[in-house]
Amino acid sequence: MSNQPVVSCLPVSANKMSKAKKVLDEARETKNREIDLVDRNISTFEELPGLLNMLFVTRITLSHNKLKTVPPGIANLNNLEILNLSNNHLEELPLSLSSMPKLRILNCSINRLNTLPRGFGAFPVLEVLDLSYNNLNEHVLPGNFFMMDSLRALYLGDNEFEYLPKEVKNLKNLQILGLRDNDLLELPREIGELTRIRELHIQNNRLSVLPPEIANLDMPGPKSVLKMEENPWVTAIAEQYLVGISHVLEYIKTEAYRILYNRHMQAGGKTAGDLPPKADKSKKASRARS
């Protein structure tokens, strides 16, 4: 009798489908409302038979796969509350996502998104949106992007934003705003209207001044976080930063700083020749093409 190990004759794609199908079959049998398909080498929803008909599901995790598209039929899952699509190869998202009535958390970080669909800001109850580590900028945001009243956390870090639209002021319930590792040259004064902000991440950009209105935020509080390192700050801010964040926030309340800020903005910020160079993002995973 041969002791040779049994080798499956199924093609790789069939093996992938059979493993994913097993997870889905078990979930159907047990009415498991949480589907975990992390790192299954899935490249298309066709490898997930029947998933879009599992209306009882409330959470789907498909991170660390090779998905390039998400079918519009994902919106059939009208009980879905959490969708994790991070670390895939997504280049676009379906508009239907924003119509999902119970979706609270959407994670599309570490993908290859260059644009967002029109009307993307129509989510009725979305609380957390993670779009970090993609190829997005201010020019590709749909007109209603900042109309998500329910949003508590917005992560846009590691993209290609040079400016943050002033409409950010409409996110009245926002508590966390992540803008690290972009190409931001300035922040809008309207950011001071986000009175519920408790975390602001602006590190590693091209910022030289802060709008004085940031002092309106309750950032010095014990539960607050302001990250602002790795920016080419004007000397006055850089000196205060060496002493501590609280000193920066006190300084930008002063009349002396308001004068400095207004002069800086009236001069158009920095001239093109004085602008710090953009970070080299050519080797980002989000720029890769498979």
Side-chain angles (χ1 to χ4, degrees):
M1 186 174 181
S2 173
N3 291 323
Q4 292 289 329
V6 177
V7 178
S8 171
C9 294
L10 290 172
V12 174
S13 58
N15 272 326
K16 285 194 297 177
M17 183 179 292
S18 64
K19 290 179 181 178
K21 184 176 183 297
K22 182 180 179 182
V23 171
L24 297 178
D25 287 344
E26 289 177 354
R28 269 187 287 266
E29 290 174 13
T30 61
K31 284 292 186 284
N32 186 354
R33 294 185 297 175
E34 300 188 355
I35 307 295
D36 186 344
L37 290 165
V38 176
D39 198 12
R40 299 297 180 107
N41 204 29
I42 298 166
S43 55
T44 170
F45 270 73
E46 292 177 0
E47 297 166 33
L48 307 172
L51 173 61
L52 302 184
N53 295 320
M54 297 172 68
L55 304 186
F56 56 88
V57 170
T58 61
R59 178 174 186 153
I60 296 176
T61 304
L62 279 163
S63 57
H64 297 270
N65 283 293
K66 297 179 180 179
L67 293 168
K68 292 184 177 180
T69 59
V70 177
I74 192 78
N76 293 342
L77 303 176
N78 53 19
N79 286 303
L80 194 65
E81 297 178 14
I82 301 172
L83 179 58
N84 187 342
L85 297 166
S86 66
N87 215 325
N88 275 279
H89 298 171
L90 297 175
E91 296 182 10
E92 60 182 3
L93 296 171
L95 173 58
S96 61
L97 267 181
S98 59
S99 67
M100 299 182 75
K102 295 185 179 180
L103 192 64
R104 295 185 298 105
I105 299 174
L106 176 60
N107 188 346
C108 295
S109 63
I110 318 178
N111 274 287
R112 303 173 183 179
L113 297 173
N114 297 296
T115 187
L116 295 173
R118 291 182 63 184
F120 187 74
F123 293 94
V125 297
L126 196 68
E127 297 178 13
V128 179
L129 176 59
D130 192 343
L131 293 170
S132 55
Y133 213 95
N134 279 286
N135 301 318
L136 302 171
N137 60 56
E138 61 271 22
H139 304 297
V140 302
L141 298 181
N144 69 344
F145 184 80
F146 294 106
M147 300 303 289
M148 294 179 273
D149 293 341
S150 54
L151 207 61
R152 293 187 298 106
L154 175 60
Y155 299 97
L156 295 173
D158 220 317
N159 278 285
E160 297 170 20
F161 289 89
E162 291 192 348
Y163 298 93
L164 182 67
K166 64 182 181 180
E167 288 78 11
V168 69
K169 68 181 181 180
N170 295 324
L171 301 177
K172 298 298 186 184
N173 290 302
L174 201 65
Q175 297 175 29
I176 301 173
L177 179 56
L179 298 167
R180 60 167 181 75
D181 296 293
N182 273 282
D183 292 311
L184 288 170
L185 294 167
E186 64 184 67
L187 294 174
R189 303 186 80 137
E190 289 80 3
I191 203 167
E193 297 181 36
L194 299 176
T195 55
R196 295 194 176 186
I197 282 285
R198 294 296 175 268
E199 288 189 29
L200 179 59
H201 300 265
I202 54 174
Q203 62 268 45
N204 201 16
N205 278 284
R206 297 194 287 163
L207 299 168
S208 54
V209 294
L210 289 169
E213 289 76 9
I214 279 189
N216 298 340
L217 306 179
D218 186 25
M219 297 309 297
K223 295 184 179 179
S224 299
V225 175
L226 174 57
K227 297 284 189 180
M228 54 180 285
E229 62 268 22
E230 301 297 329
N231 279 288
W233 300 114
V234 294
T235 301
I237 290 182
E239 289 175 348
Q240 296 296 329
Y241 180 67
L242 290 175
V243 186
I245 294 288
S246 61
H247 291 263
V248 174
L249 295 172
E250 285 301 315
Y251 171 65
I252 65 176
K253 293 178 183 178
T254 65
E255 185 62 24
Y257 178 71
R258 288 183 178 274
I259 293 171
L260 183 155
Y261 177 81
N262 290 332
R263 285 177 176 170
H264 182 88
M265 300 309 292
Q266 287 167 5
K270 293 176 180 285
T271 62
D274 293 332
L275 289 176
K278 288 185 178 183
D280 181 10
K281 299 182 180 181
S282 60
K283 294 182 181 180
K284 278 176 62 177
S286 58
R287 296 282 183 88
R289 290 290 178 269
S290 56

